[in-house]
Amino acid sequence: MSIAKLFAQKNVVFSFEIFPPKRDSSIHTIWSTLEELRDLRPDFISVTYGAGGSGGRSVTAQIAGAIRQRYGIPPLAHLTCVNSTRQEVEESLRQLREEGVEDILALRGDLVPGVTPKTDFTYASDLVDFIRRQGGFSLSGACYPEGHTQAPDLDTDIQNLRRKVEAGAEHLISQLFFDNDSFYRFAEKARAAGISVPIEAGIMPVVNAKQILRMVSLCGASLPPKFTRMISRYEQNPAALRDAGIAYAIDQIVDLLAQGVEGIHLYTMNDPDVARRISQAVENLREG
Ligand code: FAD
């Protein structure tokens, strides 16, 4: 069953994101993480794709295949296109088929300063369209509650998102955000623009101060006063910041579920302890 179909069957879909081990660690380090995540009964687990992972381009397919075969959980394999030729994408699709992976999060990928992008694909919607024509996969796409950093404004970004859905994306996962109101505003605008596919809210528990600076500079998420007060109060105390970051994420999730969000996608950062604490805190809300 495709991931998009899960939404028709469940009140709320609860999923995780992991990334392949860094270049200097072995792929085996991910198996113990996945064993712990499996026990939390996620509806699916997504695996990121891109530079920085060990094992090159095929590692995402390998891990996604194992998520299905070893752990019995539906995998969602991320795939980017901006630095790939058509042949390279076809090779990735071949590997994913071989691993029995049926769901792909089709992404453009970030433009790397100083690297000229390849020309076969310009936008994620080009990749969605290409894979849909090949057949055999269900497609998901990324979305941005506060607008993508390169979009002139949120409305334009949503018009572009609609193109991605029209090209064949059946489910969307949002960029992280710390202000739920930005997600609600975005979801309302997306529905008004005719986007009717399920939209999962991407939640990133912030558990260390270095991580915050890095991700805010990357994705431009706005930081509500409640959040910045938490960081400044606890940034010198890692254990306290970890507890506060987990509590903040739980608070966001409870509010999202109460507002009737269709899914929560937890950016686990490969930290099963954080995923466990959050999953347990909202366990009964998943069915409610
Ligand atoms: P697109 O949908 O192509 O959008 C990119 C920009 O182009 C936007 O500003 C959009 O408004 C604009 N645009 C789109 N279509 C058109 C059009 N037809 N005409 C004019 N403008 C247009 N990166 C990785 O490298 N690996 C990962 O595994 C990964 N996973 C991610 C998972 C999620 C849930 C999210 C939210 C992001 C992820 N990213 C990942 C980051 C992503 O690659 C970047 O945010 C990238 O800059 C945009 O990718 P996209 O697929 O959203 O692009």
Side-chain angles (χ1 to χ4, degrees):
M1 182 181 30
S2 76
I3 282 167
K5 293 210 175 79
L6 282 175
F7 289 84
Q9 299 200 336
K10 306 203 68 137
N11 271 341
V12 184
V13 168
F14 196 75
S15 58
F16 293 152
E17 178 187 286
I18 60 162
F19 51 78
K22 302 285 178 212
R23 265 185 215 291
D24 49 3
S25 14
S26 145
I27 190 170
H28 298 292
T29 59
I30 202 71
W31 309 139
S32 60
T33 302
L34 281 168
E35 263 152 41
E36 293 190 60
L37 294 180
R38 172 192 49 197
D39 296 341
L40 305 175
R41 300 182 300 108
D43 293 305
F44 69 88
I45 298 181
S46 82
V47 190
T48 65
Y49 179 91
S54 62
R57 285 174 185 266
S58 61
V59 71
T60 298
Q62 229 179 309
I63 295 172
I67 289 174
R68 173 178 294 295
Q69 288 145 28
R70 287 196 199 187
Y71 305 104
I73 298 168
L76 172 65
H78 298 205
L79 181 64
T80 66
C81 61
V82 72
N83 291 313
S84 302
T85 60
R86 230 172 255 130
Q87 284 77 5
E88 285 165 335
V89 168
E90 276 167 356
E91 174 56 17
S92 296
L93 298 180
R94 190 193 60 72
Q95 287 166 356
L96 289 167
R97 274 191 209 101
E98 212 170 88
E99 296 285 355
V101 176
E102 296 165 359
D103 285 271
I104 297 177
L105 178 62
L107 297 146
R108 185 195 70 177
D110 280 323
L111 303 174
V112 182
V115 176
T116 311
K118 295 195 175 154
T119 51
D120 283 350
F121 304 93
T122 309
Y123 300 114
S125 52
D126 301 329
L127 182 62
V128 170
D129 186 57
F130 180 77
I131 300 174
R132 186 181 47 76
R133 285 168 195 271
Q134 307 270 314
F137 293 100
S138 295
L139 294 154
S140 301
C143 62
Y144 301 84
E146 299 178 75
H148 183 262
T149 47
Q150 288 175 323
D153 53 61
L154 182 57
D155 290 331
T156 310
D157 201 33
I158 288 176
Q159 289 310 318
N160 292 332
L161 181 62
R162 191 164 53 82
R163 292 196 176 102
K164 187 153 59 180
V165 172
E166 284 167 357
E170 298 170 68
H171 151 236
L172 300 170
I173 301 181
S174 91
Q175 176 66 283
L176 61 93
F177 57 91
F178 300 110
D179 175 3
N180 284 4
D181 285 341
S182 65
F183 182 84
Y184 301 138
R185 274 192 299 274
F186 159 78
E188 202 176 301
K189 277 175 181 265
R191 297 308 181 213
I195 295 170
S196 58
V197 298
I199 304 177
E200 267 194 286
I203 296 294
M204 165 84 78
V206 170
V207 293
N208 71 61
K210 204 171 105 207
Q211 176 198 8
I212 301 158
L213 295 175
R214 198 183 59 232
M215 78 202 169
V216 168
S217 70
L218 281 177
C219 75
S222 60
L223 304 178
K226 184 178 161 188
F227 183 86
T228 49
R229 275 198 301 274
M230 173 187 86
I231 303 298
S232 50
R233 176 79 176 83
Y234 299 118
E235 65 187 336
Q236 303 305 332
N237 180 342
L241 183 60
R242 189 175 171 88
D243 284 355
I246 289 171
Y248 192 95
I250 292 170
D251 202 35
Q252 275 193 283
I253 294 170
V254 171
D255 182 60
L256 287 158
L257 294 176
Q259 292 284 335
V261 75
E262 294 150 293
I264 301 287
H265 190 64
L266 192 65
Y267 295 107
T268 71
M269 305 299 288
N270 294 11
D271 186 332
D273 175 57
V274 172
R276 183 178 45 74
R277 288 174 62 183
I278 294 174
S279 302
Q280 287 175 348
V282 299
E283 194 170 357
N284 295 320
L285 281 58
R286 284 173 67 175
E287 314 304 331

